[in-house]
Amino acid sequence: MTGSPVTPAPGTLTASRRRWSPRRRARVFRAAQYVVLLAVLVAVGLAVDWANVGENFFNAEAARQILPQLPTAFRNTLTYTLAGFAVGLSLGTVLALMRLSAVGLYRWIATVYIEFFRGIPALLVVVSFGYAVPIAFGVNIPSVTTKAALALGLVSAAYIAETLRAGIQAVPKGQVEAARSLGMSHGRTLRTVVVPQAFRIVLPPMTNEFILLTKDTSLVFLLGLAVNQYDLTKIGRDALNNATGGLTPLFLIGACYLLITLPLGQLSRYLERRTGARSRA
């Protein structure tokens, strides 16, 4: 005897049809987020005084006053950045090797240096090279580029050292053992096997350090600059005090910094993808 078919309870079939899959719920939630974001943007756009924004951020007369100075300031900013990075990379490499040294005194010196310069503001270091160092040691550093390179490089070296140390430790130990089994000395293994691979590993974070150093050049104006030594920040600061165009000078200076940092950010992401693909291979 066959049993009679079971009749579903009223509303059960309707409820099952109405039940959403996780994918559909995610789509609805994402659409709701877009709607909320659009509403916020519209509200902000309606609240902004666009006439006042145009007068203070896009003032053509204020822009014309500083445009002739921008190429020199742009070049000086890049010069200070490259000089500081050269000092930081050279000193940071030495500090990274000292941190990994078997000699305890070397490790102690490198640790104290890194913790000290990572713990104080770069502003203090720049001011020290402008005023404290000449007084303490009785020396005069006439070149602003040299003072900027030393001040920014000393701070940058502390961060680069930690980045390189992590890169050196990320090199597979099997490659080090293979090099030593071929008769290479410890120093030659570091120079030819470990350090080159460590630099490839840390290229993305090193690019980020270069970006941070570019922005730190905004402190160089504290050293006292002649007109032909102005960096971007000094140009914007003086123009902000003298021009009638509101914040237009700062807007232009910010755009110039973006011309440097945005391509570097793209380069960093590209290097990260290449490094990730190479490690998976």
Side-chain angles (χ1 to χ4, degrees):
M1 181 174 125
T2 59
S4 59
V6 178
T7 305
T12 304
L13 188 58
T14 306
S16 63
R17 288 176 178 174
R18 290 179 180 175
R19 190 177 297 123
W20 288 355
S21 66
R23 182 177 298 179
R24 186 177 180 186
R25 283 198 300 270
R27 284 201 302 265
V28 172
F29 183 67
R30 189 162 53 246
Q33 288 179 318
Y34 289 149
V35 171
V36 171
L37 178 60
L38 181 60
V40 170
L41 292 176
V42 170
V44 172
L46 293 175
V48 171
D49 185 352
W50 291 107
N52 203 11
V53 168
E55 179 65 24
N56 283 279
F57 288 90
F58 303 99
N59 188 287
E61 181 59 32
R64 277 195 295 269
Q65 291 180 9
I66 67 171
L67 279 178
Q69 300 171 289
L70 286 182
T72 300
F74 193 91
R75 183 178 65 250
N76 288 339
T77 298
L78 283 177
T79 300
Y80 300 148
T81 303
L82 291 171
F85 190 75
V87 173
L89 184 60
S90 303
L91 182 57
T93 303
V94 175
L95 289 170
L97 295 176
M98 290 174 65
R99 281 274 280 162
L100 298 172
S101 173
V103 181
L105 179 61
Y106 289 164
R107 293 197 306 271
W108 183 83
I109 292 173
T111 301
V112 170
Y113 179 97
I114 290 170
E115 294 302 324
F116 177 78
F117 280 98
R118 288 204 308 173
I120 63 173
L123 173 67
L124 293 182
V125 182
V126 173
V127 172
S128 296
F129 268 88
Y131 305 99
V133 170
I135 293 174
F137 295 96
V139 296
N140 181 29
I141 305 175
S143 172
V144 173
T145 302
T146 302
K147 287 190 284 189
L150 292 174
L152 297 177
L154 287 176
V155 177
S156 180
Y159 295 93
I160 290 176
E162 286 296 276
T163 302
L164 281 175
R165 180 179 66 84
I168 291 173
Q169 291 178 327
V171 175
K173 292 183 179 180
Q175 299 194 23
V176 178
E177 295 171 355
R180 296 303 299 273
S181 67
L182 293 175
M184 291 186 182
S185 64
H186 179 71
R188 186 179 177 187
T189 301
L190 281 177
R191 292 193 306 271
T192 61
V193 178
V194 178
V195 173
Q197 291 191 66
F199 270 103
R200 285 197 294 269
I201 292 171
V202 302
L203 271 178
M206 203 70 75
T207 307
N208 293 331
E209 177 58 33
F210 192 89
I211 293 174
L212 293 175
L213 190 60
T214 301
K215 293 185 288 186
D216 282 345
T217 58
S218 60
L219 303 172
V220 174
F221 79 92
L222 295 169
L223 297 174
L225 304 176
V227 175
N228 62 342
Q229 298 169 334
Y230 280 7
D231 67 322
L232 290 171
T233 301
K234 178 63 173 174
I235 294 291
R237 184 172 179 269
D238 289 355
L240 186 63
N241 292 332
N242 301 327
T244 59
L247 299 175
T248 300
L250 290 186
F251 183 81
L252 277 178
I253 297 306
C256 289
Y257 274 108
L258 286 175
L259 288 177
I260 301 173
T261 58
L262 285 180
L264 289 173
Q266 294 291 333
L267 176 62
S268 176
R269 285 187 286 274
Y270 169 74
L271 292 174
E272 285 179 357
R273 289 195 298 269
R274 285 202 59 181
T275 304
R278 187 175 300 169
S279 62
R280 287 192 297 271

